[in-house]
Amino acid sequence: GTSGGPLLPEQPAAASGGSTAGKYSTIPSAKRRFFGRVRMGIYKFLQMEPDIVKGDIEGEFVQGFFAKSIVKVKGGERIKGCEFAECLTKEKRTSRWLDFKAASDLLASAFRYDASDVPRDLPQVKVIRAYAKKVDKMQKAISEGDVAKVQQLYQGAKNDLANFCPMVELAPITSEDYTHEWDTLPEVWCQGQFCVS
């Protein structure tokens, strides 16, 4: 091309494919979809720390993290277009932990810079899955009343989380980001008339 001319024609090419495609599409989309849920999960995870340090594994924050308290599907609502007697939705619930586990894994898997990257081989996926294993073991230790094991697993999991955050462009776990609740719905970003979620 001519020197000094506009670079506009070349910009769409970068977003249309090749090794940089994921950086332009997958990552911003994943951040909008999962940042709220992941931040809320980190906030609720860190909220457990004072109770765990004191050895109070029956505390409200500890129990609340694992309780199936989030309604994913309301029960008893008519299913559109269904003509049978049992056409009512069944309530489906999840816990903050299970929601966080899913959202953080999806977020980690989206941070690929090449479409050929295998998610399980990515460093941030390995870190968040190591974290998840510790938290699952921690949940089991809580049900068994093993305070020392819960405390040990919590510290290990917290270290994994501290390593994970910068890998997916989240603030460090010491940040004020994790001192309050988050809206867990996907963000909608608009530029002029064009909106994406």
Side-chain angles (χ1 to χ4, degrees), residues 118-138:
V118 179
R120 72 172 176 271
D121 296 337
L122 297 169
Q124 68 275 14
V125 172
K126 288 179 176 171
V127 169
I128 203 61
R129 289 184 181 168
Y131 165 83
K133 278 192 180 128
K134 288 179 185 83
V135 177
D136 283 337
K137 286 179 183 167
M138 198 173 97

Side-chain angles (χ1 to χ4, degrees), residues 21-57:
K23 192 169 183 177
Y24 290 100
S25 57
T26 314
I27 294 171
S29 167
K31 284 164 72 171
R32 285 191 301 274
R33 289 179 63 195
F34 305 121
F35 261 21
R37 288 166 60 193
V38 172
R39 283 177 175 137
M40 181 67 126
I42 295 170
Y43 165 63
K44 293 292 186 183
F45 175 79
L46 295 174
Q47 231 180 7
M48 295 191 290
E49 189 167 24
D51 286 347
I52 289 173
V53 168
K54 282 189 308 211
D56 180 10
I57 58 175

Side-chain angles (χ1 to χ4, degrees), residues 60-133:
E60 105 181 66
F61 294 132
V62 176
Q63 295 301 313
F65 188 70
F66 297 105
K68 294 243 176 137
S69 58
I70 301 166
V71 177
K72 284 173 39 170
V73 177
K74 278 188 191 158
E77 295 190 342
R78 268 229 167 271
I79 299 170
K80 287 185 181 78
C82 179
E83 302 299 321
F84 302 100
E86 63 277 354
C87 282
L88 296 177
T89 58
K90 286 190 172 39
E91 186 174 88
K92 288 190 182 137
R93 289 175 165 254
T94 191
S95 64
R96 176 55 55 207
W97 163 231
L98 292 175
D99 183 71
F100 177 38
K101 185 177 178 179
S104 58
D105 199 279
L106 288 164
L107 178 66
S109 298
F111 269 76
R112 303 197 301 249
Y113 293 93
D114 190 320
S116 65
D117 289 340
V118 179
R120 72 172 176 271
D121 296 337
L122 297 169
Q124 68 275 14
V125 172
K126 288 179 176 171
V127 169
I128 203 61
R129 289 184 181 168
Y131 165 83
K133 278 192 180 128

